[in-house]
Amino acid sequence: MSSSTLTLPQREQHRRPSTAAAGATSPTAPRSPWARTRYDLVIWLVLSDLFAVAVPFWLALLGGHLPLVWSATTVGITMVLIAWFLGALGIDAVEQALAHYGAPIYVRKEIVHNKYVVETLSKRGAIFVSETDEVPEGARVVFSAHGVSPAVHAQAASRQLLTIDATCPLVTKVHKQAIRFAKGDYDIILVGHSGHEEVEGTQGEAPDHIQVVNGPREVDTVTVRDPEKVVWISQTTLSVDETMETVRLLRERFPEMIDPPGEDICYATQNRQAAVKKIAPRVDLMIVVGSGNSSNSVRLKEVALEAGAGAAHRVDFASEIDPSWFDGVETVGLTSGASVPEILVREVVERLAEFGFDDVEEVRTTTEKISFSLPKNLRADLMAAQGADSSHKRREPAADHTC
């Protein structure tokens, strides 16, 4: 594990405003338009003090390339990938399915909570539906990264649908915890947001044993059969601090409550929040790139304000940035939700430069090594079509993969 901290420049009247990139992500150019790398790429752009320099880069890793033009006083920019690999797993499944089977490919719910991703995949032939019964019988459907309940799997089977389960492995881990504790006849408290697809899928694994608690304010409403047989689990994209406060209050009521084996909140979410906490006290404004229905993006804005940012705004696109936000602002923090394509982050960086915020510094939290495969049946079809020496085998990250 490795980490580095952010050191912001001293504020001087002659300096331009600066941008601090919290858990920002590294650009590359894979097949798809949203161009996010699956592996750790840390890119330094060193620009001149005296004049604007156009810096073209070729990213040899993954065979990608990225031309960029930056204008600044003196900048060392490090953009660190955090957890796109997890979001890309579901997106990659849809991309690969479209390429291999052809359009249309149906997707139950949004594959990830990001407008740009959904719109782009729709243009390529993906059809997003709210429920399984909207998919024609016998058609092929991808289950989103948020996971589904056993009832949804059963419904798909009854309609003879060809399913591709792109559930995030971290969500699958929580499902398995729910099944295990339900078999042990525990009362299971699921800390999460009612109505969220992930919560619906997890609760569906053991509906008679699971009750959802949306946060600290609902702790007093919890009832259990046996205070000595209680366990808590959680949605993977929550605010770490709020979840721990909820758990603290639950434990006051149920001292024998046990913890889940391992952490449920995904490291993508935790690391982004940790980066934001480091930056927030030092910035006048935090901008979060992410969609309004993205739980982890919404939480990042909340975390920034709680950690001391002067103000915080969430945007889907650079065009949504309001110039009035920068009145009296000297330093801006920038981060993005775990499912945000790199192209959107780059556009925001470029937009900030137009307002004079072109001095970028980094914060890096945690380095982790992670590897996940495509869904098993999709991987098997791809390997059968392309041979055992296929690029769709298990992907191994480069050293120092940052999630």
Side-chain angles (χ1 to χ4, degrees):
M1 307 288 266
S2 68
S3 64
S4 65
T5 58
L6 170 72
T7 303
L8 289 172
Q10 294 294 319
R11 291 183 180 175
E12 301 171 10
Q13 291 184 355
H14 69 276
R15 289 185 63 90
R16 293 187 179 185
S18 66
T19 303
T25 54
S26 55
T28 187
R31 298 177 307 278
S32 59
W34 35 85
R36 278 303 274 273
T37 176
R38 298 174 181 84
Y39 306 125
D40 183 55
L41 298 178
V42 179
I43 303 166
W44 286 89
L45 311 184
V46 181
L47 305 182
S48 170
D49 258 314
L50 303 176
F51 54 88
V53 180
V55 185
F57 285 56
W58 294 85
L59 303 180
L61 188 60
L62 301 180
H65 71 278
L66 173 66
L68 286 180
V69 179
W70 291 78
S71 177
T73 50
T74 177
V75 175
I77 180 170
T78 303
M79 292 194 172
V80 183
L81 171 67
I82 294 188
W84 176 251
F85 185 81
L86 301 181
L89 181 66
I91 297 168
D92 198 22
V94 178
E95 285 190 294
Q96 298 279 10
L98 285 166
H100 183 67
Y101 305 114
I105 295 292
Y106 290 85
V107 184
R108 186 183 183 277
K109 307 291 187 181
E110 295 185 357
I111 189 68
V112 292
H113 287 156
N114 184 267
K115 291 180 181 178
Y116 180 87
V117 170
V118 172
E119 291 172 1
T120 304
L121 287 173
S122 295
K123 292 175 183 176
R124 297 187 58 191
I127 299 176
F128 291 86
V129 299
S130 295
E131 299 299 338
T132 311
D133 59 12
E134 298 176 47
V135 182
E137 290 193 11
R140 199 173 303 273
V141 62
V142 177
F143 292 145
S144 80
H146 308 105
V148 298
S149 68
V152 173
H153 282 287
Q155 186 181 27
S158 71
R159 296 176 60 78
Q160 299 181 315
L161 301 182
L162 303 172
T163 61
I164 299 172
D165 190 352
T167 301
C168 170
L170 301 178
V171 175
T172 299
K173 183 190 79 170
V174 179
H175 281 221
K176 290 179 178 179
Q177 291 172 357
I179 295 168
R180 169 189 166 189
F181 288 114
K183 287 181 178 178
D185 200 30
Y186 280 81
D187 280 304
I188 303 169
I189 300 173
L190 172 55
V191 182
H193 299 140
S194 299
H196 190 281
E197 292 99 303
E198 181 185 333
V199 170
E200 291 176 347
T202 302
Q203 189 172 23
E205 294 286 1
D208 294 334
H209 288 80
I210 296 177
Q211 55 186 307
V212 178
V213 174
N214 284 274
R217 67 187 181 281
E218 294 187 2
V219 168
D220 290 340
T221 67
V222 175
T223 59
V224 299
R225 295 167 299 160
D226 181 353
E228 295 187 355
K229 290 201 70 173
V230 181
V231 62
W232 72 273
I233 59 178
S234 81
Q235 182 181 332
T236 64
T237 55
L238 299 179
S239 161
V240 176
D241 292 341
E242 183 177 352
T243 300
M244 291 302 99
E245 174 63 10
T246 303
V247 171
R248 183 187 69 79
L249 294 173
L250 283 168
R251 201 176 302 283
E252 288 182 358
R253 292 199 58 201
F254 311 112
E256 301 303 316
M257 181 180 72
I258 64 174
D259 299 325
E263 296 180 343
D264 284 350
I265 297 178
C266 82
Y267 21 82
T269 298
Q270 293 187 52
N271 291 342
R272 286 179 184 273
Q273 291 179 13
V276 165
K277 287 178 183 178
K278 285 187 177 182
I279 287 180
R282 309 177 189 181
V283 303
D284 304 308
L285 168 66
M286 180 73 73
I287 294 179
V288 178
V289 187
S291 293
N293 63 341
S294 166
S295 178
N296 71 87
S297 296
V298 173
R299 299 290 84 72
L300 285 172
K301 177 183 173 182
E302 295 173 353
V303 168
L305 291 171
E306 291 168 359
H313 296 282
R314 181 197 52 77
V315 299
D316 271 290
F317 305 101
S319 60
E320 296 174 4
I321 293 176
D322 187 337
S324 67
W325 295 347
F326 303 109
D327 292 345
V329 169
E330 295 182 18
T331 306
V332 175
L334 174 63
T335 189
S336 66
S339 300
V340 175
E342 174 58 30
I343 187 174
L344 301 184
V345 179
R346 289 205 309 270
E347 288 174 353
V348 170
V349 172
E350 292 166 2
R351 180 67 170 156
L352 289 174
E354 294 175 7
F355 291 102
F357 295 92
D358 48 15
D359 184 358
V360 184
E361 299 187 25
E362 72 151 325
V363 58
R364 180 170 179 166
T365 53
T366 304
T367 299
E368 300 182 11
K369 294 179 174 62
I370 307 169
S371 173
F372 294 124
S373 299
L374 286 168
K376 185 177 180 180
N377 54 348
L378 174 59
R379 189 169 71 252
D381 286 351
L382 292 171
M383 292 180 69
Q386 300 186 16
D389 191 24
S390 168
S391 62
H392 304 289
K393 287 182 178 179
R394 182 179 176 88
R395 292 180 171 87
E396 297 296 338
D400 296 331
H401 176 73
T402 304
C403 296

